[in-house]
Amino acid sequence: MEPDFERRLIQSMSGCSSLSSSPFSSPISSPSPIKHSDRFIPLRSLSQPSAFFIDQEQTHKGPMIDKKSSRDPSTTTNTNTNSSTNGTTIAADRTKDILTYQALLQNEIFGTQIDSLYDEQHMNSVYANSNSNHHHSTGTTNQPGTNDSPISGGINTQGGTATVNGPSVSGVIHTTSISGTNGILSQSSQQRLPYTNTNSNLLRTRDPNTIFRYSARRNTDDLHYSPYSLSPLSPASIRLLRSPRKQLRKIPKTPFKVLDAPELQDDFYLNLVDWSSTNILAVGLNASVYLWNANTSNVTRLCDLQTESDTVTSVAWSDRGQYVAVGTHKGIVQIWDATTNRKTVSFPRHTARVGALAWNDYCIYSGSRDRFILQNDTRSSKQERKLAGHRQEVCGLKWSPDRQLLASGGNDNRLLVWNQSCMNPIQIYTDHTAAVKAIAWSPHQQGLLASGGGTADRYIRFWNTLTAQSLQCIDTGSQVCNLAWSKHSNELVSTHGYSQNQIVVWKYPSMLQLARLTGHTFRVLYLAVSPDGESIVTGAGDETLRFWNVFTKCRANKESDSVLNLFNKIR
């Protein structure tokens, strides 16, 4: 090493010279001409964090933003409302750049063969999770009732921390949490590496006594790398830099519609909201059931139980959207025709309130506080089956998509799985430590069942009912009230009660938080999915129904217009 270069390098590491804020720039910045060496020595001193991390304030001072604000006066008025969203996006991009730089250093120094990163949704969720954890730790959480606006939400991005994963050595994963302004450093071993490693022989020693040695199969991606390339980077680093960035799916943080629902009960064990396949919403309010047409916004009252001195405890639409099952406090199950607003049949067979209902073709299954599940055929007045397996109130009932298995959750902290022929449950899960109301079957994977526990449990658990095994679980930090899968993507939404009252959109199976929606001031006890699978409606004890756009529709594969496709054109 030349003496002049070594002297300047020592000065820069001791903090005597100014360093560029870009992590990709050279560690030496001097106005005088520099004699570059043929060796690259990375700077490892953390005395000046600006040498490693991009300054967030400089990203706001770009010329494009100034021009846009000068041309459009309305952008200045919306600065405060969009500051949290812009801050989250900028921080996610900044975190991705830091991870790319760290992975690049590991490729060139340790030969780790890192060639791709996770998508920006993971980076945004990592930033949002760490940001929310930092926000709660400082004791500045929003208290219920402090915001009188019916629409509120979003993630606070001021003073948050972005989690950046560092190198993995000998199977131990080190993570570094970097504050946006303070440069706080901490270590943890709970996060996964945010990139994939394609080198299967990393940190492995070969047996010297092996007689036959076979060369590893050559990766097809290496064929695009020329051995005569003048680039100093390895093939993995080139693929890393050329990897495309996926567009971040933006989930609106505010509901697109809010409806008043007076006398909507704040009871965890009730199910008072359901959305039909004909795009009509049924809501049970005290002693009445109201129907809201999502196409015309017309509201009609289906029934009134006040004359019978009874109240509504559950509602459920039939599969075809013609009949509505109404469970009452006296243990009666009534079937109403929504087209004629007339009651067709009634089943007064429970001795306590009916809090859960589930349809299977023309049969209605009802779960009650009397601990029993009854099967009734709406075409006749006879009782089909009486299922006894719970020790306390049944508060959740859901049929699998193929209508072969019925999952029931109860206040006895147990999750049971039934079939159509056996009188006893075929599977019993006892891992929850609180009441199991939130139940959802996956429409994408056969036998995949998700369940959520109450205040004392707070876990979302996934079960493989084909093998009767537990797959994974995640602590949500609050009471799980409802679960629902997306019809078009491998995502699910959960609503929560004590103590955060939030709505969370998850990516399965990584269980990354895609969005965290707030706005309800009470427990989000009710949830229903629209028939197109794009929107959801939530209800709470604050007597409001809020409609959210959380899922995306399925995109059909576009047919190729190539002349080589023989099936596109008629010859």
Side-chain angles (χ1 to χ4, degrees):
M1 183 183 299
E2 299 183 5
D4 192 15
F5 180 79
E6 183 178 5
R7 177 180 54 82
R8 286 192 300 271
L9 180 60
I10 295 176
Q11 290 179 357
S12 64
M13 295 180 64
S14 61
C16 297
S17 61
S18 61
L19 298 176
S20 174
S21 60
S22 174
F24 301 100
S25 60
S26 174
I28 302 300
S29 60
S30 175
S32 60
I34 301 174
K35 296 181 179 180
H36 297 282
S37 174
D38 58 347
R39 292 185 59 191
F40 174 73
I41 302 178
L43 182 61
R44 303 192 183 186
S45 175
L46 292 178
S47 60
Q48 296 181 359
S50 61
F52 283 87
F53 313 123
I54 301 175
D55 190 3
Q56 189 172 355
E57 295 181 356
Q58 293 183 2
T59 59
H60 292 279
K61 298 180 181 180
M64 297 299 295
I65 298 179
D66 295 336
K67 291 180 180 179
K68 182 178 179 181
S69 60
S70 61
R71 289 194 304 264
D72 189 3
S74 61
T75 56
T76 58
T77 60
N78 298 330
T79 303
N80 295 330
T81 58
N82 298 330
S83 60
S84 60
T85 305
N86 295 335
T88 305
T89 305
I90 294 174
D93 294 338
R94 171 180 171 272
T95 307
K96 180 100 181 243
D97 293 337
I98 296 174
L99 290 173
T100 304
Y101 179 59
Q102 289 190 347
L104 189 65
L105 288 180
Q106 294 182 52
N107 285 344
E108 302 306 317
I109 297 176
F110 302 108
T112 52
Q113 302 293 324
I114 300 171
D115 56 359
S116 63
L117 296 175
Y118 288 151
D119 54 7
E120 294 186 19
Q121 292 181 1
H122 171 70
M123 302 315 307
N124 194 19
S125 63
V126 169
Y127 175 79
N129 293 336
S130 60
N131 198 6
S132 60
N133 295 334
H134 176 76
H135 180 63
H136 290 300
S137 63
T138 54
T140 58
T141 55
N142 297 328
Q143 299 296 332
T146 56
N147 190 355
D148 296 333
S149 175
I151 300 176
S152 62
I155 301 176
N156 183 14
T157 58
Q158 297 178 357
T161 58
T163 302
V164 181
N165 290 341
S168 172
V169 180
S170 301
V172 181
I173 301 176
H174 302 278
T175 64
T176 305
S177 179
I178 305 166
S179 176
T181 56
N182 299 330
I184 302 173
L185 299 178
S186 61
Q187 290 185 351
S188 174
S189 60
Q190 303 297 329
Q191 295 287 347
R192 271 189 314 182
L193 285 173
Y195 38 70
T196 58
N197 191 342
T198 59
N199 187 4
S200 58
N201 296 323
L202 180 64
L203 300 179
R204 291 185 180 180
T205 58
R206 293 186 176 181
D207 187 4
N209 299 325
T210 303
I211 300 177
F212 302 100
R213 296 180 181 270
Y214 299 94
S215 60
R217 179 178 296 179
R218 187 178 181 183
N219 193 356
T220 56
D221 295 338
D222 294 340
L223 300 176
H224 301 284
Y225 176 78
S226 174
Y228 306 103
S229 175
L230 299 179
S231 175
L233 301 178
S234 61
S237 298
I238 294 177
R239 291 194 300 268
L240 176 65
L241 296 178
R242 291 178 179 177
S243 60
R245 290 193 175 188
K246 296 182 180 180
Q247 290 289 338
L248 177 64
R249 180 168 70 88
K250 296 182 179 180
I251 300 178
K253 299 301 178 63
T254 56
F256 63 89
K257 183 184 290 293
V258 179
L259 298 178
D260 291 330
E263 297 184 297
L264 185 61
Q265 300 186 45
D266 185 22
D267 195 330
F268 177 77
Y269 299 98
L270 306 186
N271 293 273
L272 298 176
V273 178
D274 197 17
W275 208 331
S276 73
S277 59
T278 57
N279 208 14
I280 299 177
L281 188 69
V283 183
L285 302 178
N286 198 5
S288 303
V289 175
Y290 291 88
L291 303 181
W292 179 77
N293 194 321
N295 298 322
T296 62
S297 298
N298 293 331
V299 179
T300 58
R301 186 165 64 178
L302 177 66
C303 63
D304 188 4
L305 306 181
Q306 195 170 7
T307 58
E308 305 174 6
S309 300
D310 206 349
T311 57
V312 179
T313 55
S314 58
V315 295
W317 283 96
S318 61
D319 298 334
R320 301 176 183 177
Q322 181 181 359
Y323 299 101
V324 181
V326 179
T328 69
H329 188 270
K330 292 184 178 181
I332 303 174
V333 178
Q334 301 179 1
I335 307 299
W336 289 76
D337 191 342
T339 58
T340 60
N341 288 1
R342 292 183 179 180
K343 182 171 61 175
T344 59
V345 66
S346 179
F347 304 101
R349 295 194 172 98
H350 285 288
T351 59
R353 68 179 183 185
V354 179
L357 295 169
W359 285 85
N360 190 346
D361 202 5
Y362 288 100
C363 294
I364 180 67
Y365 289 74
S366 57
S368 172
R369 185 181 257 180
D370 60 8
R371 304 171 299 172
F372 296 110
I373 301 174
L374 299 183
Q375 175 188 351
N376 296 288
D377 194 339
T378 58
R379 295 167 295 185
S380 62
S381 58
K382 66 177 183 179
Q383 177 180 323
E384 300 289 337
R385 285 196 304 169
K386 184 177 182 180
L387 306 178
H390 287 282
R391 303 170 183 172
Q392 295 187 31
E393 180 176 5
V394 180
C395 51
L397 282 177
K398 284 294 173 63
W399 276 99
S400 60
D402 57 0
R403 304 298 182 183
Q404 298 299 318
L405 297 177
L406 174 66
S408 64
N411 198 30
D412 53 359
N413 309 342
R414 301 203 303 172
L415 176 66
L416 307 182
V417 179
W418 314 75
N419 59 15
Q420 294 186 359
S421 59
C422 186
M423 298 296 294
N424 297 320
I426 60 175
Q427 295 176 10
I428 300 177
Y429 302 104
T430 60
D431 291 359
H432 285 288
T433 58
V436 182
K437 176 192 175 184
I439 302 173
W441 292 88
S442 172
H444 312 289
Q445 183 176 346
Q446 184 181 6
L448 177 59
L449 176 64
S451 61
T455 307
D457 184 75
R458 307 178 305 178
Y459 273 88
I460 297 178
R461 299 182 181 273
F462 297 89
W463 316 90
N464 186 351
T465 58
L466 301 180
T467 60
Q469 293 179 347
S470 175
L471 297 179
Q472 60 174 321
C473 63
I474 182 171
D475 187 0
T476 63
S478 58
Q479 178 187 40
V480 184
C481 301
N482 294 278
L483 287 172
W485 288 86
S486 171
K487 298 179 181 180
H488 310 300
S489 60
N490 213 9
E491 300 173 357
L492 72 158
V493 60
S494 61
T495 66
H496 300 270
Y498 299 126
S499 60
Q500 301 179 21
N501 305 329
Q502 80 275 21
I503 304 165
V504 182
V505 183
W506 307 87
K507 181 69 175 180
Y508 184 82
S510 60
M511 293 308 292
L512 303 175
Q513 287 191 17
L514 302 181
R516 180 177 176 271
L517 312 176
T518 58
H520 286 287
T521 57
F522 281 71
R523 296 180 296 174
V524 189
L525 298 177
Y526 311 110
L527 170 68
V529 184
S530 62
D532 61 358
E534 186 177 5
S535 305
I536 63 171
V537 59
T538 57
D542 55 7
E543 299 183 349
T544 60
L545 295 175
R546 299 173 185 266
F547 296 80
W548 316 78
N549 280 324
V550 296
F551 296 133
T552 57
K553 292 184 179 180
C554 182
R555 296 181 179 179
N557 294 330
K558 187 177 181 181
E559 197 74 25
S560 176
D561 295 334
S562 175
V563 295
L564 300 178
N565 192 346
L566 302 180
F567 299 98
N568 275 352
K569 295 179 173 57
I570 300 177
R571 301 198 177 195

